[in-house]
Amino acid sequence: MTTASTQPSITVVILWIVLAAVGAILLLFLVLTFNRLVRLRNEAETGWANIDVQLRRRSDLVPNLVEAVKGYAAHEAETFDSVTKARAAAQQASSPAAAAQADARLGGALNRLIAVSEAYPQLRASENFLALQQELADIEDKLAAARRYYNQTVYRFNSVQQTFPTLLVARPFGFHEREFFETDDREPVGVSFAPAT
């Protein structure tokens, strides 16, 4: 009789152990998945901050470029105006999509500004202008690297959120997909170091 009464209690204990193990595994999955999503979100935010830094550096450089070219090509008011407007739009952009659109406009305006400078050999020979062009080229390289890093991180973040079983954690905890930093296909800002003729 004692064996019959101990058997149901052993079964109940085993059932509780199994349920506790399943609960612990689910809790561990939840914690690890949440932490992974937080880490990827932080990486995406860091990537965006890197892009923002380079966009600001370039935006800060634009007035110096405009002033350097203005001294030689005062009659190019339309070009200077378009660069100034594009710079203002870039500074006001608050999302990756808006920043990418403003970046494309600013890049086109800078291309026109550099093209204007090509018509003035004495400007191209100016040490100040050459230093500004070199700095612009450096910023463009760093900006391209920051874009690649950000978009790669956003791709990983979005992919993880969209896959099962992570999506079961992402949605309830308020994780949302991030925007890519996509620019129109455009020519890079031209920087010429040709000697003056």
Side-chain angles (χ1 to χ4, degrees):
M1 193 151 193
T2 57
T3 56
S5 65
T6 57
Q7 274 210 333
S9 65
I10 291 174
T11 307
V12 170
V13 168
I14 290 173
L15 181 63
W16 278 108
I17 290 172
V18 169
L19 288 176
V22 168
I25 289 170
L26 287 175
L27 182 63
L28 182 63
F29 167 76
L30 179 70
V31 168
L32 292 175
T33 302
F34 181 82
N35 288 344
R36 182 176 184 204
L37 288 167
V38 168
R39 187 174 51 255
L40 288 170
R41 181 183 61 199
N42 290 344
E43 284 182 31
E45 288 174 3
T46 298
W48 175 246
N50 291 340
I51 289 175
D52 193 45
V53 165
Q54 296 308 321
L55 290 174
R56 288 179 193 272
R57 281 187 64 211
R58 186 173 65 181
S59 184
D60 291 345
L61 180 67
V62 168
N64 295 334
L65 276 170
V66 169
E67 288 304 315
V69 176
K70 257 187 191 179
Y72 290 90
H75 61 281
E76 299 287 348
E78 183 180 327
T79 301
F80 303 137
D81 188 47
S82 69
V83 170
T84 302
K85 286 180 181 175
R87 177 181 181 259
Q91 288 178 319
Q92 294 172 355
S94 59
S95 70
Q101 189 177 23
D103 177 60
R105 281 195 306 269
L106 181 57
L110 285 173
N111 279 338
R112 288 190 299 280
L113 182 68
I114 298 298
V116 166
S117 73
E118 294 296 319
Y120 299 92
Q122 64 276 36
L123 172 61
R124 288 190 328 227
S126 163
E127 286 182 32
N128 184 35
F129 188 70
L130 289 175
L132 291 170
Q133 283 186 313
Q134 179 62 42
E135 189 174 346
L136 180 61
D138 181 55
I139 290 170
E140 289 296 327
D141 289 343
K142 289 178 181 175
L143 186 55
R147 284 181 193 134
R148 283 190 302 273
Y149 173 78
Y150 173 76
N151 284 336
Q152 179 185 17
T153 304
V154 167
Y155 172 77
R156 283 191 349 241
F157 181 60
N158 290 348
S159 295
V160 166
Q161 287 185 72
Q162 296 168 357
T163 57
F164 184 83
T166 309
L167 66 92
L168 298 174
V169 175
R171 303 283 187 252
F173 283 99
F175 290 94
H176 302 288
E177 293 178 11
R178 305 281 303 224
E179 294 179 37
F180 287 98
F181 190 94
E182 298 176 313
T183 58
D184 298 332
D185 291 334
R186 63 174 175 88
E187 296 295 317
V189 175
V191 178
S192 171
F193 295 102
T197 56

